[in-house]
Amino acid sequence: MQTASAYRHMKANIVLYGALIANLGIAVAKFIAAAISGSSSMLTEGVHSLVDSGNQVLLLYGQSRAKRPPDAYHPFGYGRELYFWAFVVAILIFAIGAGVSIYEGWSHIARPEPLRDPTINYVVLGIAFLLEGTSWGIAVREFNADRAGQGWWKAVKRSKDPAGFIVLFEDSAALLGLAIAAVGVWTSHATGDARYDGMASVAIGGVLAAVAVLLAREAKGLLIGESADPELVATIWRLLDRRPEITAVNHVRTIHTAPDNVFVAVSADFDDALSMGRAETLIEAMESELKAAEPRISSIYIRPEKQRDAVVYPAPRRD
C-alpha cells in the first residue's frame, strides 16, 4: 500500500520531480564548468539551477503541509500554505537567483578574468539544454492538460495550483538563460573581451528578476484569496436560481482554500411561505446537489436573506 501511495504521489508531482532531478544534475555540471573555464555566466547559471532545485523542494514541502486535515485552529484546512511557499519561491528567485547573477556579472565586468578554453562550457550548456528542454516539455504537457483550451496567460491567471506554472516559468527562464550564457561565452571568446560574459550574467539576472516579480504577483493574489472560476460560480447560481422555493439569489461568494477546495457563501431570498423545517431540509438538499455537481466545493454556507436587505451582485456571465 505504501508503495502504491508513493507511486501516486510521484505521478501527481511528476513536473516537480522531473524539474528537481534535472536541475540538480545541471547545477553540478555548471559549477564544474565554471571552475574549469572561469566563466561568470556559467557560475551564474549554476546558481540559477541550484536555486531552482531548492524551489522544487520547497513546493513539494508546501504540498505536503497543505494536505494536513482541518483542526480547531484551522477549520478550513491548511491548503493555502502552498501559496505561502510559492511566494517564498518567488522571493528566493529574486533575492538569490537574480541578485547573485547581477552581482557576479557586474564584478566580472569590473574585473574581467583571463579567458580559458570554452569547450567545457559548450558541452555543459548542450547537456543542460537537453535536460531543461525535457523538464520544460513535461511542464508544458501537464499545464496544457489543465488549461482546457484557455490562452496561456489566462490559464496562469486562473490557475489555483502554483506548482504547475512556477515550474513552467522557471524552466522557460532556464532555457532563455542557457541561450544568453551561450551567447555570452561565444562573444567573449570571439572578441577577446571577457566583459561580454559578465554582461550575459547581468542579463540572466534581469530575466530571473522579471520572472520572480511575475510569480510573486500571482502568489500574492492566491495568498490574499481568489474566487473560483466564473464557470463554477455560474453553475452554483444556475442550480440555486432554478429552485421554485428561492425567489432571488442575492449573491454567490467563493474563495479557494486550496487548489482543489472551494468555500462557497450564498445569500438567497426564500419564499415567505416556506416553514423553518422545510427551509432546513431544502438547504441540506441544495448543499448535497452543489457538492455532487462540483466536487471542488468543500464547504457551503447558505444564508436566507431578504433581497431588500442584502448585498446584491448580478449573476455571473460565462466567458
Side-chain angles (χ1 to χ4, degrees):
M1 290 294 292
Q2 289 184 348
T3 302
S5 177
Y7 173 75
R8 287 194 298 270
H9 175 75
M10 284 284 292
K11 187 175 181 181
N13 295 285
I14 188 171
V15 174
L16 289 174
Y17 281 110
L20 175 60
I21 293 170
N23 281 316
L24 284 174
I26 293 169
V28 172
K30 287 175 180 176
F31 282 130
I32 293 174
I36 294 173
S37 66
S39 170
S40 171
S41 58
M42 285 303 297
L43 179 61
T44 291
E45 276 295 298
V47 172
H48 180 181
S49 294
L50 193 62
V51 171
D52 283 352
S53 300
N55 291 343
Q56 272 94 60
V57 172
L58 286 177
L59 288 173
L60 286 168
Y61 175 74
Q63 285 186 338
S64 175
R65 298 280 294 175
K67 291 178 181 177
R68 288 178 295 166
D71 56 33
Y73 293 101
H74 297 87
F76 295 108
Y78 291 81
R80 289 171 70 180
E81 185 167 344
L82 175 60
Y83 303 152
F84 166 77
W85 290 109
F87 191 75
V88 171
V89 163
I91 294 173
L92 288 177
I93 294 175
F94 187 86
I96 299 179
V100 171
S101 299
I102 293 173
Y103 173 78
E104 173 63 23
W106 181 257
S107 299
H108 206 69
I109 293 171
R111 295 181 298 276
E113 295 185 11
L115 298 174
R116 306 175 198 170
D117 186 357
T119 303
I120 184 66
N121 289 338
Y122 294 130
V123 171
V124 170
L125 286 171
I127 295 173
F129 200 88
L130 288 174
L131 292 175
E132 289 284 9
T134 300
S135 176
W136 182 83
I138 294 173
V140 169
R141 184 188 66 193
E142 296 296 316
F143 190 73
N144 281 337
D146 294 332
R147 67 189 181 99
Q150 300 177 91
W152 281 61
W153 180 242
K154 185 176 181 180
V156 170
K157 294 288 291 181
R158 287 197 174 184
S159 175
K160 311 305 177 185
D161 186 359
F165 66 76
I166 283 179
V167 173
L168 179 61
F169 276 52
E170 282 184 345
D171 286 347
S172 299
L175 290 173
L176 181 56
L178 289 171
I180 293 172
V183 171
V185 171
W186 181 85
T187 306
S188 291
H189 283 268
T191 62
D193 189 345
R195 290 177 297 177
Y196 285 105
D197 192 39
M199 294 177 190
S201 292
V202 173
I204 292 169
V207 170
L208 292 177
V211 169
V213 170
L214 180 61
L215 293 180
R217 178 181 175 183
E218 293 303 309
K220 183 195 74 171
L222 293 170
L223 271 175
I224 294 172
E226 290 187 356
S227 65
D229 294 338
E231 290 84 357
L232 188 149
V233 177
T235 297
I236 296 171
W237 197 292
R238 175 177 54 81
L239 291 174
L240 295 173
D241 200 36
R242 73 182 185 181
R243 292 269 182 178
E245 300 92 343
I246 293 179
T247 58
V249 177
N250 301 321
H251 62 249
V252 175
R253 292 173 175 172
T254 61
I255 189 170
H256 270 266
T257 57
D260 294 321
N261 290 338
V262 178
F263 172 77
V264 179
V266 174
S267 169
D269 192 344
F270 284 61
D271 189 336
D272 290 341
L274 203 63
S275 67
M276 180 66 71
R278 288 180 59 200
E280 290 176 351
T281 302
L282 175 63
I283 289 174
E284 290 177 359
M286 288 191 296
E287 290 179 352
S288 298
E289 181 184 29
L290 291 174
K291 287 184 177 181
E294 181 47 70
R296 286 178 293 176
I297 297 176
S298 57
S299 301
I300 307 173
Y301 170 71
I302 300 177
R303 177 184 180 184
E305 188 175 20
K306 292 294 183 184
Q307 189 172 46
R308 63 176 180 270
D309 301 324
V311 176
V312 179
Y313 294 162
R317 296 181 302 172
R318 289 178 179 268
D319 291 350

